[in-house]
């Protein structure tokens, strides 16, 4: 049984600055979680069918949103700025929820529809930002800021994502391990 579980282990390594795209790591059957750019995958949201969905964007949306965000916090209340920025992506249903775009962004607003999240969000959203690398689970979606692969003349970071199989339905976020690895 242990050997069987080990052979079903799924691991994905992402490096560099990916564009918005679909990646389905298919197991025994595929599903129809989303479709369109930036999503797609599992049939019931838990990835039990073997299909996992990933969304990614190469534009540094986290940096651009952090420049544009104004917020008011209640003193003494816990606040996670990065989780809040990730929540903006989900609530606005876009990989780039700023309009007009940041002047540093190489985006054409005529193609804004290509940045839309699918009807059902992906299991993982991979973003590449100059901000501190992190992994956050927001509303069941695993957000990964893999950082940058190169920083000047030295190496940067990349993300290694491992999703452990299960026989019982369990959310992907509970079965996933994400390591941000320094080069």
């Amino acid at each position: 049984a242990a050997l069987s579980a080990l052979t079903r282990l799924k691991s994905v390594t992402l490096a560099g600055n990916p564009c918005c795209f679909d990646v389905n790591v298919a197991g025994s059957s595929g599903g129809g979680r989303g479709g369109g750019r930036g999503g797609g995958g599992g049939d019931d949201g838990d990835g039990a069918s073997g299909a996992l969905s990933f969304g990614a964007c190469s534009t540094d949306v986290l940096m651009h949103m952090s420049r544009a965000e104004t917020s008011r916090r209640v003193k003494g209340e816990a606040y996670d700025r990065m989780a809040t920025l990730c929540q903006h992506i989900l609530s606005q249903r876009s990989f780039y929820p700023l309009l007009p775009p940041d002047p540093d962004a190489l985006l054409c607003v005529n193609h804004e529809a290509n940045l839309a999240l699918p009807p059902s969000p992906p299991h993982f959203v991979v973003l590449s930002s100059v901000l501190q690398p992190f992994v956050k689970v927001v509303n069941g979606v695993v957000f990964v800021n893999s950082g940058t692969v190169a920083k000047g003349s030295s190496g940067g970071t990349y993300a290694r994502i491992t999703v452990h199989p299960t026989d019982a339905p369990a959310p992907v976020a509970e079965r996933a391990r994400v390591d941000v690895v320094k080069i």
Side-chain angles (χ1 to χ4, degrees), residues 148-167:
T148 57
V149 174
K151 289 187 178 184
S153 61
S154 65
T157 56
Y158 68 94
R160 182 181 302 128
I161 300 172
T162 305
V163 180
H164 298 279
T166 183
D167 293 326

Side-chain angles (χ1 to χ4, degrees), residues 22 31-36 39-42 53 118-121:
D22 291 342
R33 184 167 180 179
S53 58
S120 189

Side-chain angles (χ1 to χ4, degrees), residues 20-24 33-42 52-56 95 116-124:
C20 295
F21 63 100
D22 291 342
V23 176
N24 292 315
R33 184 167 180 179
R37 294 177 66 84
L52 298 173
S53 58
F54 290 78
F95 283 103
L117 284 174
S120 189
H123 295 110
F124 297 91

Side-chain angles (χ1 to χ4, degrees), residues 35-106:
R37 294 177 66 84
D43 54 352
D44 55 5
D46 64 5
S49 69
L52 298 173
S53 58
F54 290 78
C57 188
S58 62
T59 301
D60 194 347
V61 64
L62 293 171
M63 175 61 84
H64 297 169
M65 286 192 314
S66 67
R67 286 183 197 159
E69 183 184 47
T70 57
S71 64
R72 180 177 290 179
R73 308 187 320 214
V74 176
K75 285 188 178 183
E77 185 177 299
Y79 178 72
D80 186 341
R81 183 169 166 247
M82 291 300 117
T84 301
L85 294 177
C86 294
Q87 178 61 41
H88 291 319
I89 292 172
L90 290 177
S91 65
Q92 296 293 323
R93 312 245 357 109
S94 173
F95 283 103
Y96 197 87
L98 296 174
L99 196 61
D102 186 278
D104 293 340
L106 299 174

